[in-house]
Amino acid sequence: MMKLEDIALAYVLVLLASAPSCMHMQPLSRKTLVPNASALGAFCLDGSPPAYHLQKGFGDGANNWILFFEGGGWCGDISSCLDRTKSGYGSSRYMHKWTFFSGILSDNASHNPDFYNWNRVKLRYCDGASFTGDGKFDNGTTLLYFRGKRIWQAIVGDLLSKGLANAHQALLTGCSAGGLATFLHCDSFARMLPKASVKCLSDAGFFLDVKDVSLNHTIRSTFKAVVSLQGVKRNLDRRCTKSMYDPELCFFPQYTLKYITTPFFVLNSAYDAIQFHRSLVPYSADVGRTWGHCRHQLAAFNADQIAVLQGFRHRMLKALSYLLKDKQSGGTFITSCLAHCQSNAQELWFAVDSPRIHNKVTNSPYPSSSDKSGIQPPVFRFLLEPLLKQLVIGTSTEEEPRRSVAGILATRAAT
């Protein structure tokens, strides 16, 4: 008898077969369980083995690799970690056996011209601490494994035997909690590949240490709980932890960024949607529900609320000043979209109908108190424009009208 998952897969394949011939048929990538995970003590929260999806490279990309950390929040208490064990974010038993690759992981040259033929890997996220924990909870009735760092090491170890050890170029990237993991593992990844040209790209992972609108440290409390519960502190950058009055704060990218020696590129929105809802204006801080009406109606912001948003943007740019001043260390592309994750969705990464910037660049805050049309101006909407080359390399030409963010980063690998 066919399993439900097999029936669903067959249905998807039928739909794809009936799709117009002009559509590119994205191949399915099968889940791989790390074979030696238990020997390394690498487990998902529930004790199941970690997993990843791999599509092999070809042509002139056969010796180049891109590793993408999956995102999915965090858990900083036993209850929420237990909840995750009932999903793919805490157990490989619940992860889909097959997945599609799109955006920066697409194998379509017209959709992903810079990386379509690289070896492309999606690291599944099942530890709840951005691949950095190293501990265990066992009270006799409940057992949880906090082994994010070992999961990271186990997956890379398996990939090294599959060709990663011979990489010429390698890009470590990820979205959201996976984007945060990119900051935390960038240098260690470079050390694992001493002969390769290594770069890192964080998408929507630059989580700011800011107070919410009620002046409470909501996101700081969240991160400190994760660090404490999952034994993360010992795995944070030691130079950072030694310099901080509170070493646990080194889980925030803004404090560890200056210690990263591998070239780094930050893709983020100055008005990141998740940070807006969970860090700046969480429901616990919006007691009078004065922000509720504009959570999904951006034109409803009043002048004071716009000022709060501009303050958040200002703090983000200030925290990124290290990269903004030293372009040899990397680069940034900071949009004004109320968005979160812009590299793994095809319509945001590189699509035929993606909006263009057309060489229009502004450093002005948006929106202004006189412009309540929302936070998606045509000047600064999506990422695929000549502006990227101007930001990262210092030049902008019409000969490359649709270069991708990470593609520009890859270009720097040869310089």
Side-chain angles (χ1 to χ4, degrees), residues 368-387:
S368 67
S369 57
S370 60
D371 184 348
K372 298 183 180 180
S373 60
I375 309 181
Q376 283 193 320
V379 170
F380 234 159
R381 191 171 177 190
F382 293 119
L383 59 152
L384 304 171
E385 297 301 330
L387 169 62

PDB file of all heavy atoms in Angstrom, residues 368-387:
ATOM      1  N   SER A 368       8.460  58.578   5.080  1.00  0.00           N
ATOM      2  CA  SER A 368       8.507  59.833   5.822  1.00  0.00           C
ATOM      3  C   SER A 368       7.134  60.089   6.407  1.00  0.00           C
ATOM      4  O   SER A 368       6.158  59.446   6.058  1.00  0.00           O
ATOM      5  CB  SER A 368       8.894  60.977   4.878  1.00  0.00           C
ATOM      6  OG  SER A 368       7.857  61.190   3.940  1.00  0.00           O
ATOM      7  N   SER A 369       7.057  61.038   7.306  1.00  0.00           N
ATOM      8  CA  SER A 369       5.775  61.336   7.956  1.00  0.00           C
ATOM      9  C   SER A 369       4.755  61.871   6.961  1.00  0.00           C
ATOM     10  O   SER A 369       3.552  61.812   7.191  1.00  0.00           O
ATOM     11  CB  SER A 369       5.983  62.356   9.080  1.00  0.00           C
ATOM     12  OG  SER A 369       6.574  63.538   8.574  1.00  0.00           O
ATOM     13  N   SER A 370       5.246  62.360   5.818  1.00  0.00           N
ATOM     14  CA  SER A 370       4.326  62.882   4.807  1.00  0.00           C
ATOM     15  C   SER A 370       3.969  61.846   3.746  1.00  0.00           C
ATOM     16  O   SER A 370       3.162  62.103   2.874  1.00  0.00           O
ATOM     17  CB  SER A 370       4.952  64.098   4.110  1.00  0.00           C
ATOM     18  OG  SER A 370       6.171  63.734   3.488  1.00  0.00           O
ATOM     19  N   ASP A 371       4.593  60.658   3.839  1.00  0.00           N
ATOM     20  CA  ASP A 371       4.326  59.599   2.872  1.00  0.00           C
ATOM     21  C   ASP A 371       3.856  58.366   3.614  1.00  0.00           C
ATOM     22  O   ASP A 371       4.640  57.681   4.237  1.00  0.00           O
ATOM     23  CB  ASP A 371       5.592  59.286   2.071  1.00  0.00           C
ATOM     24  CG  ASP A 371       5.339  58.251   0.982  1.00  0.00           C
ATOM     25  OD1 ASP A 371       4.266  57.624   1.001  1.00  0.00           O
ATOM     26  OD2 ASP A 371       6.217  58.086   0.125  1.00  0.00           O
ATOM     27  N   LYS A 372       2.580  58.092   3.599  1.00  0.00           N
ATOM     28  CA  LYS A 372       2.013  56.970   4.349  1.00  0.00           C
ATOM     29  C   LYS A 372       1.556  55.848   3.412  1.00  0.00           C
ATOM     30  O   LYS A 372       0.632  55.103   3.708  1.00  0.00           O
ATOM     31  CB  LYS A 372       0.840  57.455   5.194  1.00  0.00           C
ATOM     32  CG  LYS A 372       1.255  58.491   6.234  1.00  0.00           C
ATOM     33  CD  LYS A 372       0.083  58.901   7.098  1.00  0.00           C
ATOM     34  CE  LYS A 372       0.491  59.943   8.130  1.00  0.00           C
ATOM     35  NZ  LYS A 372      -0.651  60.344   8.983  1.00  0.00           N
ATOM     36  N   SER A 373       2.236  55.727   2.290  1.00  0.00           N
ATOM     37  CA  SER A 373       1.835  54.717   1.313  1.00  0.00           C
ATOM     38  C   SER A 373       2.367  53.336   1.635  1.00  0.00           C
ATOM     39  O   SER A 373       2.111  52.394   0.924  1.00  0.00           O
ATOM     40  CB  SER A 373       2.322  55.135  -0.074  1.00  0.00           C
ATOM     41  OG  SER A 373       3.732  55.251  -0.090  1.00  0.00           O
ATOM     42  N   GLY A 374       3.127  53.209   2.708  1.00  0.00           N
ATOM     43  CA  GLY A 374       3.656  51.901   3.084  1.00  0.00           C
ATOM     44  C   GLY A 374       5.162  51.883   3.029  1.00  0.00           C
ATOM     45  O   GLY A 374       5.812  52.894   2.857  1.00  0.00           O
ATOM     46  N   ILE A 375       5.734  50.721   3.179  1.00  0.00           N
ATOM     47  CA  ILE A 375       7.184  50.600   3.231  1.00  0.00           C
ATOM     48  C   ILE A 375       7.666  49.769   2.053  1.00  0.00           C
ATOM     49  O   ILE A 375       8.433  48.858   2.184  1.00  0.00           O
ATOM     50  CB  ILE A 375       7.609  49.972   4.567  1.00  0.00           C
ATOM     51  CG1 ILE A 375       6.945  50.729   5.704  1.00  0.00           C
ATOM     52  CG2 ILE A 375       9.100  50.038   4.769  1.00  0.00           C
ATOM     53  CD1 ILE A 375       7.288  50.223   7.060  1.00  0.00           C
ATOM     54  N   GLN A 376       7.176  50.064   0.858  1.00  0.00           N
ATOM     55  CA  GLN A 376       7.660  49.405  -0.339  1.00  0.00           C
ATOM     56  C   GLN A 376       7.738  50.399  -1.485  1.00  0.00           C
ATOM     57  O   GLN A 376       6.979  50.329  -2.445  1.00  0.00           O
ATOM     58  CB  GLN A 376       6.777  48.217  -0.726  1.00  0.00           C
ATOM     59  CG  GLN A 376       7.033  46.993   0.130  1.00  0.00           C
ATOM     60  CD  GLN A 376       6.379  45.778  -0.482  1.00  0.00           C
ATOM     61  OE1 GLN A 376       5.270  45.856  -0.988  1.00  0.00           O
ATOM     62  NE2 GLN A 376       7.044  44.658  -0.442  1.00  0.00           N
ATOM     63  N   PRO A 377       8.659  51.364  -1.400  1.00  0.00           N
ATOM     64  CA  PRO A 377       8.798  52.334  -2.470  1.00  0.00           C
ATOM     65  C   PRO A 377       9.365  51.679  -3.710  1.00  0.00           C
ATOM     66  O   PRO A 377      10.129  50.735  -3.616  1.00  0.00           O
ATOM     67  CB  PRO A 377       9.800  53.344  -1.898  1.00  0.00           C
ATOM     68  CG  PRO A 377      10.648  52.516  -0.979  1.00  0.00           C
ATOM     69  CD  PRO A 377       9.699  51.536  -0.366  1.00  0.00           C
ATOM     70  N   PRO A 378       9.025  52.171  -4.888  1.00  0.00           N
ATOM     71  CA  PRO A 378       9.556  51.576  -6.108  1.00  0.00           C
ATOM     72  C   PRO A 378      11.060  51.710  -6.228  1.00  0.00           C
ATOM     73  O   PRO A 378      11.697  50.920  -6.903  1.00  0.00           O
ATOM     74  CB  PRO A 378       8.845  52.363  -7.226  1.00  0.00           C
ATOM     75  CG  PRO A 378       8.423  53.641  -6.566  1.00  0.00           C
ATOM     76  CD  PRO A 378       8.104  53.277  -5.158  1.00  0.00           C
ATOM     77  N   VAL A 379      11.645  52.693  -5.546  1.00  0.00           N
ATOM     78  CA  VAL A 379      13.086  52.887  -5.624  1.00  0.00           C
ATOM     79  C   VAL A 379      13.841  51.782  -4.904  1.00  0.00           C
ATOM     80  O   VAL A 379      14.940  51.409  -5.276  1.00  0.00           O
ATOM     81  CB  VAL A 379      13.460  54.260  -5.018  1.00  0.00           C
ATOM     82  CG1 VAL A 379      14.958  54.390  -4.865  1.00  0.00           C
ATOM     83  CG2 VAL A 379      12.936  55.378  -5.902  1.00  0.00           C
ATOM     84  N   PHE A 380      13.265  51.197  -3.888  1.00  0.00           N
ATOM     85  CA  PHE A 380      14.019  50.303  -3.008  1.00  0.00           C
ATOM     86  C   PHE A 380      13.192  49.061  -2.705  1.00  0.00           C
ATOM     87  O   PHE A 380      13.011  48.715  -1.553  1.00  0.00           O
ATOM     88  CB  PHE A 380      14.321  51.038  -1.693  1.00  0.00           C
ATOM     89  CG  PHE A 380      15.764  51.049  -1.328  1.00  0.00           C
ATOM     90  CD1 PHE A 380      16.247  52.004  -0.459  1.00  0.00           C
ATOM     91  CD2 PHE A 380      16.655  50.113  -1.842  1.00  0.00           C
ATOM     92  CE1 PHE A 380      17.583  52.027  -0.104  1.00  0.00           C
ATOM     93  CE2 PHE A 380      17.989  50.126  -1.492  1.00  0.00           C
ATOM     94  CZ  PHE A 380      18.453  51.095  -0.625  1.00  0.00           C
ATOM     95  N   ARG A 381      12.700  48.392  -3.704  1.00  0.00           N
ATOM     96  CA  ARG A 381      11.764  47.318  -3.417  1.00  0.00           C
ATOM     97  C   ARG A 381      12.407  45.945  -3.326  1.00  0.00           C
ATOM     98  O   ARG A 381      12.318  45.280  -2.317  1.00  0.00           O
ATOM     99  CB  ARG A 381      10.667  47.287  -4.470  1.00  0.00           C
ATOM    100  CG  ARG A 381       9.530  46.367  -4.075  1.00  0.00           C
ATOM    101  CD  ARG A 381       8.360  46.502  -5.013  1.00  0.00           C
ATOM    102  NE  ARG A 381       7.309  45.575  -4.662  1.00  0.00           N
ATOM    103  CZ  ARG A 381       6.255  45.344  -5.415  1.00  0.00           C
ATOM    104  NH1 ARG A 381       6.125  45.987  -6.548  1.00  0.00           N
ATOM    105  NH2 ARG A 381       5.340  44.491  -5.040  1.00  0.00           N
ATOM    106  N   PHE A 382      13.050  45.486  -4.397  1.00  0.00           N
ATOM    107  CA  PHE A 382      13.676  44.188  -4.346  1.00  0.00           C
ATOM    108  C   PHE A 382      15.170  44.289  -4.626  1.00  0.00           C
ATOM    109  O   PHE A 382      15.704  45.373  -4.720  1.00  0.00           O
ATOM    110  CB  PHE A 382      12.984  43.207  -5.309  1.00  0.00           C
ATOM    111  CG  PHE A 382      11.592  42.866  -4.901  1.00  0.00           C
ATOM    112  CD1 PHE A 382      10.518  43.165  -5.728  1.00  0.00           C
ATOM    113  CD2 PHE A 382      11.330  42.278  -3.676  1.00  0.00           C
ATOM    114  CE1 PHE A 382       9.219  42.862  -5.343  1.00  0.00           C
ATOM    115  CE2 PHE A 382      10.050  41.966  -3.288  1.00  0.00           C
ATOM    116  CZ  PHE A 382       8.988  42.263  -4.118  1.00  0.00           C
ATOM    117  N   LEU A 383      15.868  43.163  -4.781  1.00  0.00           N
ATOM    118  CA  LEU A 383      17.314  43.187  -4.691  1.00  0.00           C
ATOM    119  C   LEU A 383      18.090  43.055  -5.981  1.00  0.00           C
ATOM    120  O   LEU A 383      19.276  43.263  -5.995  1.00  0.00           O
ATOM    121  CB  LEU A 383      17.769  42.049  -3.774  1.00  0.00           C
ATOM    122  CG  LEU A 383      17.374  40.635  -4.206  1.00  0.00           C
ATOM    123  CD1 LEU A 383      18.422  39.655  -3.665  1.00  0.00           C
ATOM    124  CD2 LEU A 383      16.029  40.245  -3.610  1.00  0.00           C
ATOM    125  N   LEU A 384      17.492  42.722  -7.080  1.00  0.00           N
ATOM    126  CA  LEU A 384      18.273  42.325  -8.237  1.00  0.00           C
ATOM    127  C   LEU A 384      18.500  43.456  -9.217  1.00  0.00           C
ATOM    128  O   LEU A 384      17.843  43.574 -10.222  1.00  0.00           O
ATOM    129  CB  LEU A 384      17.564  41.162  -8.935  1.00  0.00           C
ATOM    130  CG  LEU A 384      17.321  40.002  -8.000  1.00  0.00           C
ATOM    131  CD1 LEU A 384      16.440  38.973  -8.667  1.00  0.00           C
ATOM    132  CD2 LEU A 384      18.604  39.371  -7.548  1.00  0.00           C
ATOM    133  N   GLU A 385      19.440  44.316  -8.928  1.00  0.00           N
ATOM    134  CA  GLU A 385      19.677  45.472  -9.772  1.00  0.00           C
ATOM    135  C   GLU A 385      21.161  45.832  -9.842  1.00  0.00           C
ATOM    136  O   GLU A 385      21.967  45.356  -9.062  1.00  0.00           O
ATOM    137  CB  GLU A 385      18.903  46.679  -9.237  1.00  0.00           C
ATOM    138  CG  GLU A 385      17.399  46.503  -9.252  1.00  0.00           C
ATOM    139  CD  GLU A 385      16.847  46.248 -10.640  1.00  0.00           C
ATOM    140  OE1 GLU A 385      17.431  46.720 -11.621  1.00  0.00           O
ATOM    141  OE2 GLU A 385      15.831  45.542 -10.728  1.00  0.00           O
ATOM    142  N   PRO A 386      21.538  46.713 -10.784  1.00  0.00           N
ATOM    143  CA  PRO A 386      22.932  47.158 -10.876  1.00  0.00           C
ATOM    144  C   PRO A 386      23.412  47.817  -9.587  1.00  0.00           C
ATOM    145  O   PRO A 386      24.620  47.922  -9.366  1.00  0.00           O
ATOM    146  CB  PRO A 386      22.909  48.174 -12.027  1.00  0.00           C
ATOM    147  CG  PRO A 386      21.731  47.771 -12.848  1.00  0.00           C
ATOM    148  CD  PRO A 386      20.717  47.267 -11.847  1.00  0.00           C
ATOM    149  N   LEU A 387      22.486  48.274  -8.754  1.00  0.00           N
ATOM    150  CA  LEU A 387      22.858  48.885  -7.477  1.00  0.00           C
ATOM    151  C   LEU A 387      23.771  47.973  -6.683  1.00  0.00           C
ATOM    152  O   LEU A 387      24.686  48.429  -5.997  1.00  0.00           O
ATOM    153  CB  LEU A 387      21.600  49.175  -6.665  1.00  0.00           C
ATOM    154  CG  LEU A 387      21.793  49.569  -5.194  1.00  0.00           C
ATOM    155  CD1 LEU A 387      22.579  50.865  -5.130  1.00  0.00           C
ATOM    156  CD2 LEU A 387      20.455  49.727  -4.512  1.00  0.00           C
TER     157      LEU A 387
END
